[in-house]
Each structure stands twice: as C-alpha cells, then as structure tokens.
Amino acid sequence: MELYPINLKLTGRRCGVIGGGAVAERKVMALLTAGAEISVFSPVLTPGLNGLQETGRLAWIPRTYQAGDLHNFFLVFCATNDPEINRQAAAEAQAAGALVTIADAPDLSDFYVPAHVAHGDLLLTISTGGGSPALSRRLREELAARYGPEYGHYLTLLAKLRTEMKDRLATAKDREKFWRETIDQETLDLLKQGKFSEAEERIRNAACCIGPES
C-alpha cells in the first residue's frame, strides 16, 4: 500500500481511543505528547490510563464503544480484540470524516502511526505499514542507539545560526557547502559532551573559511 508521510499538529484536536489495554495506553501517551484532547471508551483501564484520567489528562467513557460515539473526532484509534467492534468503529469514523487506525487491521485503517525517535524538533520515523510493529520497534531501537540527543542539539544550533549564515554566505552554493561540511563528528562530539558554546563557535569559525573564492 502506498502511503503519504506527514506529521500532524494535534494540539487541541479531539482524538478517540477505543480500548483500555496496553496498546491503547501506548497510543494515549503518544497523543498526549502531541497535545491532543483524548476520550477513551472502555469498561476498564490499565493502571497507567486510570492515573491519567484521575488527573484529568483524558476523558473516560466507562463502557464499550457504541454506535454514535465517534462524532466530532479528528482521529480515532481502535485497540480491541473484537473484529466486529473494529469494523463498526472504522465504518462510523470514516462516515463522520475522521481518520481511523485499527490495531492489527491494516485493511480497515486510514493511517499508521510510525515508531519514532525524537530529540527536540528532530524526528526520525519508521513505519512498516501496520505489518509488523515488532520490526518497527527494533529499528527504532537501532536508530536511537545511532542518533542520540546530540543530533537534536545540533538541529537547534543550526536553526539558531541559519539566518546569520545566510547573511554571511552570499550564494546558495556557498551555503550548501557550508552546511554539509559543518555536519561532522567533532561538532557532534562537543554537543554530546554538553559543550554547546564551543560547538557554536566552531560552526561560526567554519563560515569564515567558505566564500565565493572556495
């Protein structure tokens, strides 16, 4: 299946989660990180979900999903072991104009949530199209081991200096060369050690060595 990769802003968006088990809890935690407003439909909740509803971080509807529940949602996540509920929820969500994903049912889903590694604004994602969450998690672990928090610090630093470097380096060719050549292990090592000022100074010094004559 062909998919279009996209990152959605969910701050203030209403998202429905059907199910109260471990899979539902993982979905809820990710949605909370994105700032979504969450309603969970389930007779029982995991201890983690129960703690979230007790502190007002989600709305709990303490019963199984029923027809008519999914109006006015932006996204719907269904994490139950009941194929009939999955089919009903998918049909209702789609009829209501919401996007829906059904755990372990790619054929009923409009989208899949990729495994990801996040460091600040840096987001590395892995998707298996709903085919193997275990493989997604394994690849995520490998990415997390390869790309640590220093890459997020590096992105923050590049964003901070981008306008200044654009003013100092007149041509697009100069800027392209500059950004490629400053992404090196020495700068990353400085950031990994928490030496942010030294890393920033190293990038500024590198800009002096690139110009029209280079």
Side-chain angles (χ1 to χ4, degrees):
M1 179 183 296
E2 293 184 357
L3 299 172
Y4 186 79
I6 187 171
N7 295 325
L8 295 173
K9 291 184 177 180
L10 293 182
T11 302
R13 298 275 195 173
R14 294 191 66 222
C15 296
V17 177
I18 301 172
V23 173
E25 182 175 339
R26 289 199 296 271
K27 303 300 184 186
V28 167
M29 295 305 297
L31 289 168
L32 285 174
T33 300
E37 296 181 2
I38 305 164
S39 297
V40 175
F41 299 84
S42 179
V44 295
L45 300 176
T46 64
L49 288 175
N50 189 58
L52 292 172
Q53 71 89 18
E54 287 180 345
T55 56
R57 299 188 67 192
L58 61 83
W60 179 32
I61 296 84
R63 58 168 173 75
T64 57
Y65 153 78
Q66 297 175 2
D69 281 339
L70 303 182
H71 61 283
N72 202 27
F73 283 109
F74 182 64
L75 299 179
V76 173
F77 296 76
C78 193
T80 80
N81 294 320
D82 188 324
E84 185 57 31
I85 286 180
N86 291 344
R87 285 192 293 271
Q88 290 180 4
E92 180 179 345
Q94 290 163 351
L99 298 175
V100 62
T101 186
I102 309 294
D104 298 322
D107 57 315
L108 296 177
S109 300
D110 295 314
F111 68 97
Y112 312 108
V113 179
H116 67 274
V117 176
H119 297 303
D121 288 335
L122 179 65
L123 182 67
L124 308 175
T125 63
I126 311 99
S127 176
T128 57
S132 177
L135 178 58
S136 292
R137 287 192 290 271
R138 175 180 173 179
L139 294 175
R140 178 186 62 196
E141 291 168 359
E142 293 179 5
L143 277 180
R146 172 64 181 83
Y147 299 101
E150 65 272 16
Y151 282 85
H153 297 317
Y154 195 84
L155 175 60
T156 299
L157 185 54
L158 297 186
K160 176 183 178 181
L161 297 175
R162 185 173 181 179
T163 299
E164 178 183 333
M165 293 303 116
K166 185 175 182 180
D167 292 338
R168 292 177 62 176
L169 303 171
T171 70
K173 182 178 179 180
D174 291 336
R175 293 192 292 272
E176 174 73 11
K177 182 178 180 181
F178 170 71
W179 290 122
R180 284 184 176 273
E181 292 186 356
T182 52
I183 301 176
D184 63 8
Q185 193 59 49
E186 186 172 344
T187 303
L188 289 168
D189 287 343
L190 289 171
L191 292 168
K192 193 172 185 179
Q193 297 165 32
K195 298 178 180 179
F196 304 119
S197 296
E198 292 181 32
E200 181 173 341
E201 186 62 24
R202 187 170 189 277
I203 292 177
R204 290 182 187 279
N205 290 338
C208 297
C209 303
I210 300 177
E213 71 281 357
S214 56

